[in-house]
Structure formats: structure tokens, C-alpha cells
mmCIF file of all heavy atoms in Angstrom:
data_model
loop_
_atom_site.group_PDB
_atom_site.id
_atom_site.type_symbol
_atom_site.label_atom_id
_atom_site.label_comp_id
_atom_site.label_asym_id
_atom_site.label_seq_id
_atom_site.Cartn_x
_atom_site.Cartn_y
_atom_site.Cartn_z
ATOM 1 N N MET A 1 20.105 34.732 102.407
ATOM 2 C CA MET A 1 20.643 33.480 102.881
ATOM 3 C C MET A 1 21.125 33.599 104.324
ATOM 4 O O MET A 1 21.050 32.629 105.056
ATOM 5 C CB MET A 1 21.784 33.019 101.979
ATOM 6 C CG MET A 1 21.335 32.453 100.635
ATOM 7 S SD MET A 1 20.269 31.007 100.735
ATOM 8 C CE MET A 1 21.329 29.789 101.411
ATOM 9 N N ASP A 2 21.630 34.760 104.708
ATOM 10 C CA ASP A 2 22.094 34.911 106.092
ATOM 11 C C ASP A 2 20.943 34.700 107.076
ATOM 12 O O ASP A 2 21.115 34.042 108.103
ATOM 13 C CB ASP A 2 22.720 36.288 106.310
ATOM 14 C CG ASP A 2 24.044 36.444 105.582
ATOM 15 O OD1 ASP A 2 24.690 35.412 105.278
ATOM 16 O OD2 ASP A 2 24.437 37.593 105.316
ATOM 17 N N ALA A 3 19.792 35.247 106.754
ATOM 18 C CA ALA A 3 18.629 35.076 107.629
ATOM 19 C C ALA A 3 18.199 33.610 107.663
ATOM 20 O O ALA A 3 17.850 33.085 108.732
ATOM 21 C CB ALA A 3 17.482 35.962 107.162
ATOM 22 N N ALA A 4 18.229 32.951 106.525
ATOM 23 C CA ALA A 4 17.858 31.528 106.470
ATOM 24 C C ALA A 4 18.817 30.693 107.308
ATOM 25 O O ALA A 4 18.395 29.800 108.051
ATOM 26 C CB ALA A 4 17.849 31.028 105.033
ATOM 27 N N ARG A 5 20.117 30.974 107.200
ATOM 28 C CA ARG A 5 21.106 30.238 108.005
ATOM 29 C C ARG A 5 20.851 30.436 109.499
ATOM 30 O O ARG A 5 20.865 29.485 110.269
ATOM 31 C CB ARG A 5 22.515 30.702 107.658
ATOM 32 C CG ARG A 5 23.047 30.142 106.393
ATOM 33 C CD ARG A 5 24.514 30.578 106.212
ATOM 34 N NE ARG A 5 24.941 30.339 104.865
ATOM 35 C CZ ARG A 5 24.763 31.186 103.848
ATOM 36 N NH1 ARG A 5 24.190 32.334 104.035
ATOM 37 N NH2 ARG A 5 25.162 30.871 102.638
ATOM 38 N N ALA A 6 20.646 31.678 109.899
ATOM 39 C CA ALA A 6 20.413 31.975 111.324
ATOM 40 C C ALA A 6 19.139 31.279 111.806
ATOM 41 O O ALA A 6 19.129 30.683 112.893
ATOM 42 C CB ALA A 6 20.308 33.483 111.529
ATOM 43 N N PHE A 7 18.092 31.330 111.013
ATOM 44 C CA PHE A 7 16.836 30.681 111.372
ATOM 45 C C PHE A 7 17.020 29.169 111.504
ATOM 46 O O PHE A 7 16.600 28.564 112.492
ATOM 47 C CB PHE A 7 15.773 30.998 110.320
ATOM 48 C CG PHE A 7 14.475 30.280 110.545
ATOM 49 C CD1 PHE A 7 13.599 30.700 111.523
ATOM 50 C CD2 PHE A 7 14.146 29.172 109.778
ATOM 51 C CE1 PHE A 7 12.397 30.032 111.736
ATOM 52 C CE2 PHE A 7 12.954 28.501 109.977
ATOM 53 C CZ PHE A 7 12.071 28.931 110.963
ATOM 54 N N LEU A 8 17.652 28.551 110.524
ATOM 55 C CA LEU A 8 17.833 27.097 110.554
ATOM 56 C C LEU A 8 18.721 26.654 111.717
ATOM 57 O O LEU A 8 18.478 25.615 112.327
ATOM 58 C CB LEU A 8 18.408 26.607 109.222
ATOM 59 C CG LEU A 8 17.430 26.699 108.052
ATOM 60 C CD1 LEU A 8 18.143 26.394 106.745
ATOM 61 C CD2 LEU A 8 16.242 25.773 108.263
ATOM 62 N N ARG A 9 19.731 27.433 112.044
ATOM 63 C CA ARG A 9 20.578 27.095 113.201
ATOM 64 C C ARG A 9 19.744 27.058 114.479
ATOM 65 O O ARG A 9 19.954 26.208 115.336
ATOM 66 C CB ARG A 9 21.722 28.092 113.329
ATOM 67 C CG ARG A 9 22.829 27.850 112.357
ATOM 68 C CD ARG A 9 24.009 28.780 112.628
ATOM 69 N NE ARG A 9 25.043 28.611 111.641
ATOM 70 C CZ ARG A 9 25.352 29.518 110.717
ATOM 71 N NH1 ARG A 9 24.720 30.664 110.680
ATOM 72 N NH2 ARG A 9 26.300 29.276 109.842
ATOM 73 N N GLN A 10 18.804 27.979 114.607
ATOM 74 C CA GLN A 10 17.957 28.022 115.797
ATOM 75 C C GLN A 10 16.940 26.891 115.803
ATOM 76 O O GLN A 10 16.749 26.218 116.807
ATOM 77 C CB GLN A 10 17.223 29.369 115.876
ATOM 78 C CG GLN A 10 18.115 30.536 116.157
ATOM 79 C CD GLN A 10 18.769 30.432 117.524
ATOM 80 O OE1 GLN A 10 18.126 30.076 118.499
ATOM 81 N NE2 GLN A 10 20.044 30.730 117.593
ATOM 82 N N VAL A 11 16.287 26.679 114.697
ATOM 83 C CA VAL A 11 15.192 25.715 114.612
ATOM 84 C C VAL A 11 15.689 24.274 114.628
ATOM 85 O O VAL A 11 15.061 23.401 115.238
ATOM 86 C CB VAL A 11 14.356 25.977 113.335
ATOM 87 C CG1 VAL A 11 13.335 24.894 113.117
ATOM 88 C CG2 VAL A 11 13.693 27.342 113.419
ATOM 89 N N LEU A 12 16.803 24.004 113.975
ATOM 90 C CA LEU A 12 17.258 22.622 113.827
ATOM 91 C C LEU A 12 18.105 22.110 114.988
ATOM 92 O O LEU A 12 18.447 20.935 115.014
ATOM 93 C CB LEU A 12 18.049 22.474 112.521
ATOM 94 C CG LEU A 12 17.259 22.702 111.239
ATOM 95 C CD1 LEU A 12 18.176 22.575 110.032
ATOM 96 C CD2 LEU A 12 16.092 21.738 111.139
ATOM 97 N N THR A 13 18.414 22.946 115.937
ATOM 98 C CA THR A 13 19.276 22.540 117.045
ATOM 99 C C THR A 13 18.758 21.301 117.756
ATOM 100 O O THR A 13 19.516 20.400 118.063
ATOM 101 C CB THR A 13 19.447 23.703 118.040
ATOM 102 O OG1 THR A 13 19.996 24.807 117.332
ATOM 103 C CG2 THR A 13 20.359 23.322 119.175
ATOM 104 N N GLU A 14 17.482 21.219 117.984
ATOM 105 C CA GLU A 14 16.885 20.078 118.695
ATOM 106 C C GLU A 14 16.288 19.036 117.750
ATOM 107 O O GLU A 14 15.826 17.994 118.201
ATOM 108 C CB GLU A 14 15.792 20.582 119.650
ATOM 109 C CG GLU A 14 16.270 21.579 120.668
ATOM 110 C CD GLU A 14 17.236 20.958 121.672
ATOM 111 O OE1 GLU A 14 17.027 19.787 122.047
ATOM 112 O OE2 GLU A 14 18.184 21.654 122.066
ATOM 113 N N PHE A 15 16.286 19.308 116.464
ATOM 114 C CA PHE A 15 15.673 18.418 115.477
ATOM 115 C C PHE A 15 16.609 17.255 115.158
ATOM 116 O O PHE A 15 17.803 17.454 114.930
ATOM 117 C CB PHE A 15 15.367 19.216 114.202
ATOM 118 C CG PHE A 15 14.640 18.437 113.145
ATOM 119 C CD1 PHE A 15 13.338 18.014 113.340
ATOM 120 C CD2 PHE A 15 15.258 18.143 111.949
ATOM 121 C CE1 PHE A 15 12.658 17.315 112.355
ATOM 122 C CE2 PHE A 15 14.598 17.447 110.958
ATOM 123 C CZ PHE A 15 13.294 17.033 111.153
ATOM 124 N N THR A 16 16.085 16.044 115.150
ATOM 125 C CA THR A 16 16.926 14.867 114.902
ATOM 126 C C THR A 16 16.589 14.153 113.597
ATOM 127 O O THR A 16 17.137 13.102 113.315
ATOM 128 C CB THR A 16 16.798 13.858 116.062
ATOM 129 O OG1 THR A 16 15.430 13.472 116.172
ATOM 130 C CG2 THR A 16 17.299 14.453 117.359
ATOM 131 N N GLY A 17 15.717 14.733 112.798
ATOM 132 C CA GLY A 17 15.300 14.082 111.561
ATOM 133 C C GLY A 17 16.162 14.460 110.366
ATOM 134 O O GLY A 17 17.266 14.982 110.503
ATOM 135 N N LEU A 18 15.618 14.184 109.204
ATOM 136 C CA LEU A 18 16.298 14.469 107.948
ATOM 137 C C LEU A 18 15.851 15.818 107.397
ATOM 138 O O LEU A 18 14.705 16.225 107.572
ATOM 139 C CB LEU A 18 15.995 13.393 106.911
ATOM 140 C CG LEU A 18 16.479 11.992 107.246
ATOM 141 C CD1 LEU A 18 15.971 10.998 106.204
ATOM 142 C CD2 LEU A 18 17.992 11.951 107.323
ATOM 143 N N LEU A 19 16.751 16.471 106.718
ATOM 144 C CA LEU A 19 16.459 17.745 106.090
ATOM 145 C C LEU A 19 16.636 17.584 104.583
ATOM 146 O O LEU A 19 17.705 17.193 104.116
ATOM 147 C CB LEU A 19 17.411 18.817 106.614
ATOM 148 C CG LEU A 19 17.170 20.198 106.056
ATOM 149 C CD1 LEU A 19 15.986 20.826 106.775
ATOM 150 C CD2 LEU A 19 18.394 21.051 106.203
ATOM 151 N N ASP A 20 15.587 17.872 103.832
ATOM 152 C CA ASP A 20 15.640 17.837 102.369
ATOM 153 C C ASP A 20 15.851 19.266 101.900
ATOM 154 O O ASP A 20 14.996 20.129 102.103
ATOM 155 C CB ASP A 20 14.338 17.266 101.826
ATOM 156 C CG ASP A 20 14.334 17.104 100.320
ATOM 157 O OD1 ASP A 20 15.236 17.657 99.650
ATOM 158 O OD2 ASP A 20 13.437 16.435 99.812
ATOM 159 N N THR A 21 16.970 19.526 101.262
ATOM 160 C CA THR A 21 17.269 20.883 100.803
ATOM 161 C C THR A 21 16.463 21.263 99.564
ATOM 162 O O THR A 21 16.471 22.424 99.177
ATOM 163 C CB THR A 21 18.760 21.044 100.481
ATOM 164 O OG1 THR A 21 19.086 20.225 99.354
ATOM 165 C CG2 THR A 21 19.636 20.711 101.676
ATOM 166 N N ASN A 22 15.793 20.295 98.964
ATOM 167 C CA ASN A 22 15.040 20.501 97.722
ATOM 168 C C ASN A 22 15.930 20.890 96.552
ATOM 169 O O ASN A 22 15.440 21.341 95.528
ATOM 170 C CB ASN A 22 13.941 21.560 97.878
ATOM 171 C CG ASN A 22 12.791 21.077 98.705
ATOM 172 O OD1 ASN A 22 12.460 19.899 98.705
ATOM 173 N ND2 ASN A 22 12.181 21.985 99.442
ATOM 174 N N HIS A 23 17.224 20.745 96.734
ATOM 175 C CA HIS A 23 18.139 21.154 95.668
ATOM 176 C C HIS A 23 19.254 20.149 95.393
ATOM 177 O O HIS A 23 19.973 20.335 94.449
ATOM 178 C CB HIS A 23 18.736 22.523 95.968
ATOM 179 C CG HIS A 23 17.716 23.609 95.957
ATOM 180 N ND1 HIS A 23 17.203 24.139 94.795
ATOM 181 C CD2 HIS A 23 17.064 24.226 96.960
ATOM 182 C CE1 HIS A 23 16.298 25.052 95.088
ATOM 183 N NE2 HIS A 23 16.193 25.124 96.403
ATOM 184 N N HIS A 24 19.518 19.217 96.203
ATOM 185 C CA HIS A 24 20.533 18.210 95.912
ATOM 186 C C HIS A 24 20.633 17.156 97.002
ATOM 187 O O HIS A 24 21.080 16.060 96.732
ATOM 188 C CB HIS A 24 21.948 18.800 95.735
ATOM 189 C CG HIS A 24 22.073 19.809 94.647
ATOM 190 N ND1 HIS A 24 22.028 19.485 93.312
ATOM 191 C CD2 HIS A 24 22.220 21.150 94.697
ATOM 192 C CE1 HIS A 24 22.164 20.573 92.577
ATOM 193 N NE2 HIS A 24 22.270 21.605 93.404
ATOM 194 N N ASP A 25 20.314 17.523 98.211
ATOM 195 C CA ASP A 25 20.656 16.670 99.345
ATOM 196 C C ASP A 25 19.469 16.366 100.247
ATOM 197 O O ASP A 25 18.558 17.177 100.388
ATOM 198 C CB ASP A 25 21.694 17.365 100.238
ATOM 199 C CG ASP A 25 23.028 17.561 99.575
ATOM 200 O OD1 ASP A 25 23.539 16.584 98.998
ATOM 201 O OD2 ASP A 25 23.571 18.673 99.653
ATOM 202 N N VAL A 26 19.547 15.209 100.870
ATOM 203 C CA VAL A 26 18.722 14.866 102.022
ATOM 204 C C VAL A 26 19.732 14.466 103.089
ATOM 205 O O VAL A 26 20.439 13.485 102.953
ATOM 206 C CB VAL A 26 17.742 13.711 101.729
ATOM 207 C CG1 VAL A 26 16.986 13.325 102.983
ATOM 208 C CG2 VAL A 26 16.788 14.091 100.611
ATOM 209 N N LEU A 27 19.809 15.280 104.140
ATOM 210 C CA LEU A 27 20.851 15.109 105.156
ATOM 211 C C LEU A 27 20.242 15.052 106.551
ATOM 212 O O LEU A 27 19.236 15.718 106.814
ATOM 213 C CB LEU A 27 21.809 16.315 105.120
ATOM 214 C CG LEU A 27 22.527 16.596 103.817
ATOM 215 C CD1 LEU A 27 23.131 17.984 103.846
ATOM 216 C CD2 LEU A 27 23.596 15.555 103.588
ATOM 217 N N PRO A 28 20.884 14.307 107.451
ATOM 218 C CA PRO A 28 20.481 14.429 108.859
ATOM 219 C C PRO A 28 20.671 15.882 109.304
ATOM 220 O O PRO A 28 21.620 16.555 108.878
ATOM 221 C CB PRO A 28 21.447 13.498 109.590
ATOM 222 C CG PRO A 28 21.947 12.555 108.540
ATOM 223 C CD PRO A 28 21.960 13.341 107.259
ATOM 224 N N ALA A 29 19.779 16.367 110.124
ATOM 225 C CA ALA A 29 19.828 17.773 110.548
ATOM 226 C C ALA A 29 21.177 18.136 111.154
ATOM 227 O O ALA A 29 21.723 19.203 110.860
ATOM 228 C CB ALA A 29 18.707 18.067 111.533
ATOM 229 N N GLY A 30 21.727 17.265 111.977
ATOM 230 C CA GLY A 30 23.027 17.548 112.597
ATOM 231 C C GLY A 30 24.134 17.690 111.569
ATOM 232 O O GLY A 30 25.004 18.562 111.701
ATOM 233 N N GLU A 31 24.109 16.871 110.540
ATOM 234 C CA GLU A 31 25.120 16.962 109.479
ATOM 235 C C GLU A 31 24.958 18.271 108.702
ATOM 236 O O GLU A 31 25.939 18.935 108.369
ATOM 237 C CB GLU A 31 24.999 15.765 108.538
ATOM 238 C CG GLU A 31 26.061 15.720 107.470
ATOM 239 C CD GLU A 31 25.964 14.482 106.603
ATOM 240 O OE1 GLU A 31 25.433 13.449 107.064
ATOM 241 O OE2 GLU A 31 26.408 14.558 105.449
ATOM 242 N N PHE A 32 23.717 18.651 108.440
ATOM 243 C CA PHE A 32 23.458 19.917 107.759
ATOM 244 C C PHE A 32 24.012 21.087 108.579
ATOM 245 O O PHE A 32 24.692 21.972 108.039
ATOM 246 C CB PHE A 32 21.959 20.087 107.528
ATOM 247 C CG PHE A 32 21.591 21.358 106.825
ATOM 248 C CD1 PHE A 32 21.687 21.455 105.450
ATOM 249 C CD2 PHE A 32 21.132 22.451 107.538
ATOM 250 C CE1 PHE A 32 21.340 22.631 104.800
ATOM 251 C CE2 PHE A 32 20.783 23.622 106.892
ATOM 252 C CZ PHE A 32 20.889 23.719 105.528
ATOM 253 N N LEU A 33 23.757 21.083 109.882
ATOM 254 C CA LEU A 33 24.260 22.152 110.741
ATOM 255 C C LEU A 33 25.784 22.157 110.790
ATOM 256 O O LEU A 33 26.402 23.228 110.794
ATOM 257 C CB LEU A 33 23.680 22.020 112.146
ATOM 258 C CG LEU A 33 22.194 22.315 112.261
ATOM 259 C CD1 LEU A 33 21.701 21.992 113.660
ATOM 260 C CD2 LEU A 33 21.894 23.748 111.886
ATOM 261 N N ASP A 34 26.402 20.986 110.820
ATOM 262 C CA ASP A 34 27.864 20.903 110.784
ATOM 263 C C ASP A 34 28.412 21.518 109.497
ATOM 264 O O ASP A 34 29.417 22.240 109.512
ATOM 265 C CB ASP A 34 28.342 19.457 110.895
ATOM 266 C CG ASP A 34 28.170 18.872 112.279
ATOM 267 O OD1 ASP A 34 27.984 19.652 113.247
ATOM 268 O OD2 ASP A 34 28.214 17.638 112.390
ATOM 269 N N LEU A 35 27.757 21.228 108.377
ATOM 270 C CA LEU A 35 28.189 21.801 107.105
ATOM 271 C C LEU A 35 28.053 23.322 107.114
ATOM 272 O O LEU A 35 28.920 24.029 106.591
ATOM 273 C CB LEU A 35 27.382 21.203 105.943
ATOM 274 C CG LEU A 35 27.717 19.754 105.607
ATOM 275 C CD1 LEU A 35 26.683 19.189 104.636
ATOM 276 C CD2 LEU A 35 29.115 19.638 105.021
ATOM 277 N N LEU A 36 26.991 23.837 107.710
ATOM 278 C CA LEU A 36 26.839 25.290 107.812
ATOM 279 C C LEU A 36 27.958 25.911 108.643
ATOM 280 O O LEU A 36 28.435 26.998 108.335
ATOM 281 C CB LEU A 36 25.494 25.656 108.434
ATOM 282 C CG LEU A 36 24.259 25.512 107.570
ATOM 283 C CD1 LEU A 36 23.021 25.944 108.348
ATOM 284 C CD2 LEU A 36 24.380 26.297 106.294
ATOM 285 N N GLU A 37 28.369 25.212 109.685
ATOM 286 C CA GLU A 37 29.459 25.725 110.525
ATOM 287 C C GLU A 37 30.794 25.696 109.786
ATOM 288 O O GLU A 37 31.573 26.638 109.862
ATOM 289 C CB GLU A 37 29.563 24.922 111.824
ATOM 290 C CG GLU A 37 28.442 25.179 112.785
ATOM 291 C CD GLU A 37 28.379 26.633 113.214
ATOM 292 O OE1 GLU A 37 29.432 27.235 113.526
ATOM 293 O OE2 GLU A 37 27.265 27.184 113.222
ATOM 294 N N ARG A 38 31.052 24.601 109.087
ATOM 295 C CA ARG A 38 32.339 24.448 108.380
ATOM 296 C C ARG A 38 32.409 25.270 107.102
ATOM 297 O O ARG A 38 33.500 25.648 106.673
ATOM 298 C CB ARG A 38 32.604 22.983 108.056
ATOM 299 C CG ARG A 38 32.957 22.176 109.300
ATOM 300 C CD ARG A 38 33.389 20.778 108.956
ATOM 301 N NE ARG A 38 32.189 19.989 108.682
ATOM 302 C CZ ARG A 38 32.089 19.057 107.754
ATOM 303 N NH1 ARG A 38 33.100 18.769 106.975
ATOM 304 N NH2 ARG A 38 30.960 18.400 107.574
ATOM 305 N N HIS A 39 31.255 25.548 106.501
ATOM 306 C CA HIS A 39 31.200 26.286 105.231
ATOM 307 C C HIS A 39 30.137 27.379 105.357
ATOM 308 O O HIS A 39 29.048 27.265 104.797
ATOM 309 C CB HIS A 39 30.851 25.336 104.077
ATOM 310 C CG HIS A 39 31.742 24.159 103.986
ATOM 311 N ND1 HIS A 39 32.985 24.215 103.408
ATOM 312 C CD2 HIS A 39 31.597 22.884 104.430
ATOM 313 C CE1 HIS A 39 33.556 23.026 103.471
ATOM 314 N NE2 HIS A 39 32.730 22.215 104.107
ATOM 315 N N PRO A 40 30.454 28.453 106.086
ATOM 316 C CA PRO A 40 29.440 29.463 106.405
ATOM 317 C C PRO A 40 28.813 30.149 105.190
ATOM 318 O O PRO A 40 27.717 30.686 105.289
ATOM 319 C CB PRO A 40 30.177 30.465 107.284
ATOM 320 C CG PRO A 40 31.609 30.150 107.171
ATOM 321 C CD PRO A 40 31.746 28.768 106.661
ATOM 322 N N HIS A 41 29.458 30.120 104.048
ATOM 323 C CA HIS A 41 28.902 30.766 102.854
ATOM 324 C C HIS A 41 28.316 29.758 101.870
ATOM 325 O O HIS A 41 27.969 30.123 100.750
ATOM 326 C CB HIS A 41 29.964 31.623 102.171
ATOM 327 C CG HIS A 41 30.453 32.711 103.061
ATOM 328 N ND1 HIS A 41 29.673 33.788 103.422
ATOM 329 C CD2 HIS A 41 31.623 32.874 103.709
ATOM 330 C CE1 HIS A 41 30.347 34.565 104.235
ATOM 331 N NE2 HIS A 41 31.532 34.039 104.426
ATOM 332 N N TRP A 42 28.164 28.513 102.297
ATOM 333 C CA TRP A 42 27.613 27.466 101.447
ATOM 334 C C TRP A 42 26.174 27.812 101.063
ATOM 335 O O TRP A 42 25.339 28.134 101.902
ATOM 336 C CB TRP A 42 27.661 26.133 102.188
ATOM 337 C CG TRP A 42 26.983 24.984 101.510
ATOM 338 C CD1 TRP A 42 27.073 24.633 100.199
ATOM 339 C CD2 TRP A 42 26.133 24.016 102.123
ATOM 340 N NE1 TRP A 42 26.324 23.503 99.949
ATOM 341 C CE2 TRP A 42 25.733 23.106 101.128
ATOM 342 C CE3 TRP A 42 25.665 23.823 103.421
ATOM 343 C CZ2 TRP A 42 24.897 22.025 101.381
ATOM 344 C CZ3 TRP A 42 24.836 22.754 103.669
ATOM 345 C CH2 TRP A 42 24.462 21.856 102.660
ATOM 346 N N ASP A 43 25.890 27.748 99.781
ATOM 347 C CA ASP A 43 24.538 27.957 99.285
ATOM 348 C C ASP A 43 24.011 26.596 98.843
ATOM 349 O O ASP A 43 24.294 26.141 97.736
ATOM 350 C CB ASP A 43 24.547 28.947 98.121
ATOM 351 C CG ASP A 43 23.158 29.301 97.630
ATOM 352 O OD1 ASP A 43 22.186 28.589 97.987
ATOM 353 O OD2 ASP A 43 23.025 30.279 96.880
ATOM 354 N N TRP A 44 23.262 25.943 99.715
ATOM 355 C CA TRP A 44 22.788 24.583 99.451
ATOM 356 C C TRP A 44 21.831 24.516 98.261
ATOM 357 O O TRP A 44 21.570 23.458 97.743
ATOM 358 C CB TRP A 44 22.138 23.983 100.698
ATOM 359 C CG TRP A 44 20.981 24.771 101.203
ATOM 360 C CD1 TRP A 44 19.684 24.681 100.798
ATOM 361 C CD2 TRP A 44 21.018 25.781 102.196
ATOM 362 N NE1 TRP A 44 18.904 25.584 101.481
ATOM 363 C CE2 TRP A 44 19.703 26.277 102.354
ATOM 364 C CE3 TRP A 44 22.033 26.325 102.979
ATOM 365 C CZ2 TRP A 44 19.376 27.281 103.243
ATOM 366 C CZ3 TRP A 44 21.701 27.317 103.872
ATOM 367 C CH2 TRP A 44 20.391 27.784 104.003
ATOM 368 N N ARG A 45 21.351 25.678 97.811
ATOM 369 C CA ARG A 45 20.471 25.705 96.637
ATOM 370 C C ARG A 45 21.253 25.495 95.344
ATOM 371 O O ARG A 45 20.691 25.094 94.337
ATOM 372 C CB ARG A 45 19.750 27.051 96.537
ATOM 373 C CG ARG A 45 18.881 27.364 97.745
ATOM 374 C CD ARG A 45 18.419 28.805 97.713
ATOM 375 N NE ARG A 45 19.591 29.679 97.642
ATOM 376 C CZ ARG A 45 19.528 30.968 97.345
ATOM 377 N NH1 ARG A 45 18.370 31.535 97.088
ATOM 378 N NH2 ARG A 45 20.618 31.700 97.308
ATOM 379 N N ARG A 46 22.559 25.766 95.382
ATOM 380 C CA ARG A 46 23.361 25.706 94.161
ATOM 381 C C ARG A 46 24.513 24.712 94.210
ATOM 382 O O ARG A 46 25.010 24.290 93.171
ATOM 383 C CB ARG A 46 23.912 27.094 93.865
ATOM 384 C CG ARG A 46 22.819 28.079 93.519
ATOM 385 C CD ARG A 46 23.364 29.439 93.168
ATOM 386 N NE ARG A 46 22.294 30.313 92.729
ATOM 387 C CZ ARG A 46 21.542 31.038 93.542
ATOM 388 N NH1 ARG A 46 21.744 31.004 94.830
ATOM 389 N NH2 ARG A 46 20.593 31.804 93.065
ATOM 390 N N VAL A 47 24.939 24.351 95.414
ATOM 391 C CA VAL A 47 26.118 23.491 95.554
ATOM 392 C C VAL A 47 25.764 22.285 96.414
ATOM 393 O O VAL A 47 25.460 22.434 97.605
ATOM 394 C CB VAL A 47 27.279 24.267 96.209
ATOM 395 C CG1 VAL A 47 28.495 23.383 96.369
ATOM 396 C CG2 VAL A 47 27.620 25.523 95.401
ATOM 397 N N PRO A 48 25.819 21.083 95.830
ATOM 398 C CA PRO A 48 25.558 19.892 96.645
ATOM 399 C C PRO A 48 26.625 19.751 97.736
ATOM 400 O O PRO A 48 27.770 20.181 97.557
ATOM 401 C CB PRO A 48 25.672 18.742 95.647
ATOM 402 C CG PRO A 48 25.675 19.350 94.293
ATOM 403 C CD PRO A 48 26.104 20.770 94.449
ATOM 404 N N SER A 49 26.247 19.157 98.838
ATOM 405 C CA SER A 49 27.208 18.984 99.937
ATOM 406 C C SER A 49 28.396 18.139 99.503
ATOM 407 O O SER A 49 29.502 18.329 100.008
ATOM 408 C CB SER A 49 26.528 18.355 101.148
ATOM 409 O OG SER A 49 26.065 17.054 100.842
ATOM 410 N N THR A 50 28.198 17.250 98.548
ATOM 411 C CA THR A 50 29.302 16.414 98.080
ATOM 412 C C THR A 50 30.336 17.195 97.296
ATOM 413 O O THR A 50 31.444 16.718 97.094
ATOM 414 C CB THR A 50 28.767 15.261 97.204
ATOM 415 O OG1 THR A 50 27.970 15.813 96.153
ATOM 416 C CG2 THR A 50 27.920 14.294 98.030
ATOM 417 N N ASP A 51 30.004 18.414 96.860
ATOM 418 C CA ASP A 51 30.952 19.251 96.125
ATOM 419 C C ASP A 51 31.739 20.203 97.035
ATOM 420 O O ASP A 51 32.587 20.960 96.561
ATOM 421 C CB ASP A 51 30.230 20.089 95.065
ATOM 422 C CG ASP A 51 29.743 19.257 93.897
ATOM 423 O OD1 ASP A 51 30.090 18.055 93.824
ATOM 424 O OD2 ASP A 51 29.012 19.803 93.050
ATOM 425 N N LEU A 52 31.453 20.186 98.331
ATOM 426 C CA LEU A 52 32.175 21.057 99.259
ATOM 427 C C LEU A 52 33.576 20.499 99.499
ATOM 428 O O LEU A 52 33.772 19.284 99.533
ATOM 429 C CB LEU A 52 31.422 21.166 100.592
ATOM 430 C CG LEU A 52 30.069 21.866 100.514
ATOM 431 C CD1 LEU A 52 29.339 21.721 101.833
ATOM 432 C CD2 LEU A 52 30.235 23.314 100.142
ATOM 433 N N PRO A 53 34.539 21.396 99.680
ATOM 434 C CA PRO A 53 35.933 20.931 99.908
ATOM 435 C C PRO A 53 36.107 20.247 101.249
ATOM 436 O O PRO A 53 35.400 20.387 102.161
ATOM 437 C CB PRO A 53 36.759 22.207 99.837
ATOM 438 C CG PRO A 53 35.808 23.331 99.992
ATOM 439 C CD PRO A 53 34.444 22.825 99.669
#
């Protein structure tokens, strides 16, 4: 997951579309990146963004 997070942070920086996690959420790329910053150990495969504190 650490490699996936690092990769997505690099790739999605300029992306303005929607990101489908295939596990619970369809989020704007910027919102997804914000969630990664605020919750660095978030596993989007198991925890919907709506369940984050």
C-alpha cells in the first residue's frame, strides 16, 4: 500500500477527474489526495471514506 500511495500522489497531482476506488468510493482526485494526506494509513480497499474520522 505504501508504494500505491506514493504512486497515486505522483500521478494524480495534475489529474482533475474522478477516481473510482473499486471498493466503496468514487471521489474527485483532489479529495482522494486530501484524504491520503489526512489519513496516511487509510486502506481505501477496506474502509469507505465516509467511515474515516
Side-chain angles (χ1 to χ4, degrees):
M1 285 300 294
D2 290 337
R5 282 185 194 86
F7 175 76
L8 290 172
R9 282 186 184 110
Q10 291 296 317
V11 172
L12 295 178
T13 302
E14 302 293 323
F15 184 67
T16 59
L18 297 174
L19 182 79
D20 184 347
T21 66
N22 288 328
H23 294 283
H24 301 288
D25 294 311
V26 176
L27 301 166
E31 184 177 335
F32 180 81
L33 291 173
D34 288 343
L35 288 169
L36 285 181
E37 288 299 316
R38 288 187 281 143
H39 306 280
H41 299 290
W42 173 45
D43 185 345
W44 59 86
R45 300 169 303 167
R46 294 182 175 86
V47 179
S49 63
T50 54
D51 288 352
L52 294 171

